[in-house]
Amino acid sequence: MAKAISAKGISRDDIYITDKVWNTSRGYEAVKEACKKSLKKLKTDYIDIYLVHWPAAIKHHKDWEEINADTWRGMEALYKDGLVRNIGVCNFKLHHLEALEKTAEIMPFINQIEIHPGLPQSELIDYCKSKDIVIEAYSPLGNGKILQNETILKIAKTKSVSAAQICLRWAIQKSIIVIPKTVNKERLHSNINVFNFELSDSEMKAIDRIPYCGGIGIDPDEADF
Ligand SMILES: NC(=O)c1ccc[n+]([C@@H]2O[C@H](COP(=O)([O-])OP(=O)(O)OC[C@H]3O[C@@H](n4cnc5c(N)ncnc54)[C@H](OP(=O)(O)O)[C@@H]3O)[C@@H](O)[C@H]2O)c1
């Protein structure tokens, strides 16, 4: 990554870097230290958006509220010091955000959560929208596990597009940012090519009704890491 950032002919301003603080660096001082280490490794003097990777899991931490609040104070300090241009969270459920709101000076700019057909997360999305928190969907293809779903395949066929394109378009029409992953160049191109067709209301609703059929499936309150 550092090599790509410092490559000749590419201006730093043309690269958007997202980085995350891992669970072993929770708390005011630790989060600041982790970010400074990342900046050193990346050989850059700012990160575009810095995210808390997981909230402290309720299963393991009775004091999860305090831990998250203290970690967030560290994030706010990094933002104020100009080392990160935006701050956000990942995997924060409604109760995590409501708790954070009690102490936060700055609310997260973004919440990166698992969203795909079968896991629409509607209540959390509505809450984030009401607080102007941008939603970013990770595993928008359900980690590849929903691409054989009958409803998705049927709609894909009528539109002459791929099942992956249907999943991505469904999220985009809900004003959600998507970050699909592929190591395949052709798939990368087709995953980007989702702005020349539209899903109708009835197609959107049919996809909304798909039951859970796979994904990463980690409940942030139960995570063992
Ligand atoms: N914040 C978090 O806690 C968190 C957790 C999990 C993931 N993420 C992030 O979310 C991103 C994506 O998540 P993900 O990798 O779990 O799942 P995903 O993007 O939903 O699915 C990736 C899988 O789908 C396949 N795929 C991609 N495009 C395809 C296409 N057009 N047709 C058929 N198959 C296709 C990929 O295989 P090929 O590569 O072979 O194409 C891969 O197996 C990653 O950048 C990851 O870092 C974040």
Side-chain angles (χ1 to χ4, degrees), residues 15 18 25 37 39 41 46 51 56 62 74 78-79 101-103 106 119 125 129 135 143 157 172 175 204 206-207 214:
I15 303 172
T18 301
S25 297
K37 266 190 197 163
L39 286 168
K41 276 191 195 162
Y46 70 92
L51 306 173
K62 275 194 190 131
L78 289 167
Y79 174 77
E101 217 180 344
K102 292 181 204 161
T103 53
I106 308 160
L119 189 64
I125 289 173
K129 283 186 179 168
I135 321 274
N143 200 234
K157 200 173 172 193
I172 288 166
S175 305
M204 288 294 286
I207 301 171

Side-chain angles (χ1 to χ4, degrees), residues 53 91 112 138-139 141-143 179 181-183 187 191:
H53 207 149
N91 298 299
Q112 186 187 103
Y138 75 72
S139 302
L141 311 176
N143 200 234
I179 49 165
K181 169 255 156 194
T182 181
V183 293
R187 287 174 175 173
N191 290 350

